[in-house]
Amino acid sequence: MRTYRVAVVGATGAVGNEMISILEERNFPVGELRLLASERSIGKELEFKGKAYPVQVLKEDSFEGMEIGLFSAGGSISQKFAPFAAQAGCVVIDNTAAFRYEPDIPLVVPEVNAGKIADYKNRRIIANPNCSTIQMVVALKPIHDAARIKRIVVSTYQSVSGTGKKAMDELIDQTRALLSFKEPVAKVYPYQIAFNCLPQIDIFLENGYTKEEMKMVWETKKIFGDESIAVTATTVRVPVLRAHSESVNIETEKKISAAQVKELLSKAPGVVVVDDPAKREYPLAINAAGKDATYVGRIREDESIANGINLWVVSDNLRKGAALNAIQIAEIYARDYLK
Ligand code: NAP
Ligand code: 3JM
């Protein structure tokens, strides 16, 4: 069987760890695995299929002989090292915001626009969208196809794992401190995250929105290939360890009922409908954590307008929101272009 030489950049991080687990779980045909991180990780080893692999320091020549590079070490690292990888003949699947908005770089969610993977040829880089965008477009694609979405109003409830390992430790440490009547220490976030909600994710931009909010606007238009779709977002960090939740309100061109949306989504790839108010069944972050699907519930008509729908969308940000989406792209790329 054909196998592939795979490099994971940021292998010791929250997303990198998940990449390694998912490559193993899905039995991705890895022939050679190169795990890359910073100098801080010298001497560390990570396990893949029962074998220990040393973590190597990321360098300009780290990609010689590699075919697929899965990048999740931050935007500036991708900006600097993805071009070296591409030059060495390695196709980069980048999890950062570094290249997402460049017109010749495909931005891909396989359930929505897998065909765009072909555009890897432009620069040997494929971008993975932001976690919050991915789960939203997976849920909305079938509705957009059936009734054309004109406007999206989304509010997110994002877990701390979206900020990385140190933020997960910070939530646990602050919670422990507060329950022991000690002062919580905030290092990763500007304010206490335990028992709190922070209406800021990423930096503030000139227009008063955060960059995380504008990522959802720019990326949704690009992935749907529809500049006319209106999107507005409020992104909030909440004291949840894993899985992001989203309240999504849409206005469609054509009338579509809540029952029709349920029916469509129950057949949609990557989606699981959990929606039975009589049994108090709806998607929960604690149930989505560690799973692959995008869970959708609370599906109901927006009674304040003629053609509106409300939904509650939950998915594991480290899996479908990052590592799983990247590896699904790698699977299609390998199958269709690396025979
Ligand atoms: P994390 O837990 O903090 O891990 C960061 C990783 O990057 C570690 O492996 C770290 O290595 C490595 N790294 C940092 N500086 C480096 C350098 N100078 N050279 C080489 N490696 C370096 O963060 P994370 O949550 O895994 O996220 C990593 C990145 O992925 C984010 O910054 C973001 O751009 C992206 N991300 C994307 C999504 C998405 O939705 N698509 C979601 C989450 C994250 P050491 O252990 O050696 O420090
Ligand atoms: C998710 O560049 C950085 O320091 C990383 C910031 C970051 C991003 C990003 O902008 O790439 C943290 C968490 C993302 C993302 O997926 O957009």
Side-chain angles (χ1 to χ4, degrees), residues 73-77 94-98 100-101 128-131 161-164 201-202 211-212 215 219 237 321-322:
S76 58
I77 303 292
D94 183 34
N95 262 281
T96 79
R100 286 179 194 148
Y101 315 115
N128 205 58
N130 180 261
C131 35
S161 56
T163 317
I201 301 183
D202 211 328
K211 191 165 174 205
E212 187 83 350
K215 285 172 186 173
E219 293 173 18
R237 190 73 67 190

Side-chain angles (χ1 to χ4, degrees), residues 9-16 36-41 44 58 71-75 77 81 95-97 100 128-132 134 161-166 317-318 321-322:
V9 179
T12 52
V15 177
L36 301 161
S38 80
E39 285 175 356
R40 292 180 290 273
S41 296
K44 277 193 195 160
L58 172 66
F71 276 58
S72 66
I77 303 292
F81 289 93
N95 262 281
T96 79
R100 286 179 194 148
N128 205 58
N130 180 261
C131 35
S132 299
I134 293 176
S161 56
T163 317
K165 264 189 176 161
K166 286 190 186 128
N317 53 295
L318 296 179

Side-chain angles (χ1 to χ4, degrees), residues 18 73 78 98-99 146 180-181 194 243 293 324 335:
E18 210 59 35
S78 291
F99 300 99
S180 323
F181 305 101
L324 173 63
R335 184 194 68 200

Side-chain angles (χ1 to χ4, degrees), residues 96-339:
T96 79
F99 300 99
R100 286 179 194 148
Y101 315 115
E102 296 186 24
D104 57 346
I105 301 269
L107 182 64
V108 178
V109 177
E111 290 84 345
V112 181
N113 64 342
K116 289 284 176 197
I117 291 171
D119 292 346
Y120 82 88
K121 290 185 181 114
N122 297 342
R123 291 177 52 196
R124 293 194 158 267
I125 300 173
I126 302 167
N128 205 58
N130 180 261
C131 35
S132 299
T133 310
I134 293 176
Q135 65 183 66
M136 183 172 82
V137 298
V138 165
L140 295 186
K141 166 73 171 162
I143 308 173
H144 192 44
D145 287 346
R148 210 187 86 75
I149 297 170
K150 292 200 300 192
R151 179 167 186 249
I152 303 171
V153 181
V154 55
S155 298
T156 69
Y157 304 67
Q158 297 183 219
S159 72
V160 296
S161 56
T163 317
K165 264 189 176 161
K166 286 190 186 128
M168 298 173 81
D169 293 340
E170 181 155 303
L171 172 58
I172 291 165
D173 292 346
Q174 287 182 358
T175 305
R176 199 176 275 133
L178 287 157
L179 292 176
S180 323
F181 305 101
K182 291 186 189 137
E183 269 302 303
V185 180
K187 284 193 209 139
V188 177
Y189 295 115
Y191 302 100
Q192 175 189 320
I193 181 65
F195 307 104
N196 203 6
C197 297
L198 305 178
Q200 180 192 348
I201 301 183
D202 211 328
I203 56 170
F204 277 101
L205 302 176
E206 292 263 295
N207 63 357
Y209 285 78
T210 64
K211 191 165 174 205
E212 187 83 350
E213 288 161 350
M214 294 314 294
K215 285 172 186 173
M216 294 191 80
V217 177
W218 300 326
E219 293 173 18
T220 301
K221 289 171 185 272
K222 181 164 175 174
I223 297 161
F224 280 158
D226 182 352
E227 280 302 312
S228 74
I229 192 164
V231 184
T232 188
T234 302
T235 57
V236 181
R237 190 73 67 190
V238 296
V240 167
L241 278 171
R242 225 173 134 143
H244 293 352
S245 304
E246 299 177 343
S247 161
V248 184
N249 173 264
I250 57 170
E251 184 175 4
T252 54
E253 199 168 88
K254 257 177 65 186
K255 173 76 190 165
I256 187 164
S257 69
Q260 285 171 312
V261 170
K262 257 190 215 182
E263 172 68 19
L264 271 179
L265 291 181
S266 66
K267 293 187 216 132
V271 175
V272 172
V273 174
V274 181
D275 195 0
D276 192 343
K279 292 193 196 147
R280 296 197 191 104
E281 284 179 2
Y282 32 73
L284 294 176
I286 56 169
N287 294 336
K291 304 273 175 42
D292 286 349
T294 294
Y295 297 90
V296 185
R298 302 296 324 279
I299 300 165
R300 61 213 190 273
E301 279 151 48
D302 173 353
E303 295 178 343
S304 72
I305 52 174
N307 298 344
I309 293 284
N310 282 310
L311 318 114
W312 179 247
V313 180
V314 181
S315 191
D316 186 326
N317 53 295
L318 296 179
R319 289 181 76 91
K320 185 58 186 166
L324 173 63
N325 196 72
I327 290 167
Q328 288 175 312
I329 294 171
E331 287 170 349
I332 299 168
Y333 167 66
R335 184 194 68 200
D336 293 353
Y337 303 99
L338 265 185
K339 284 163 208 157

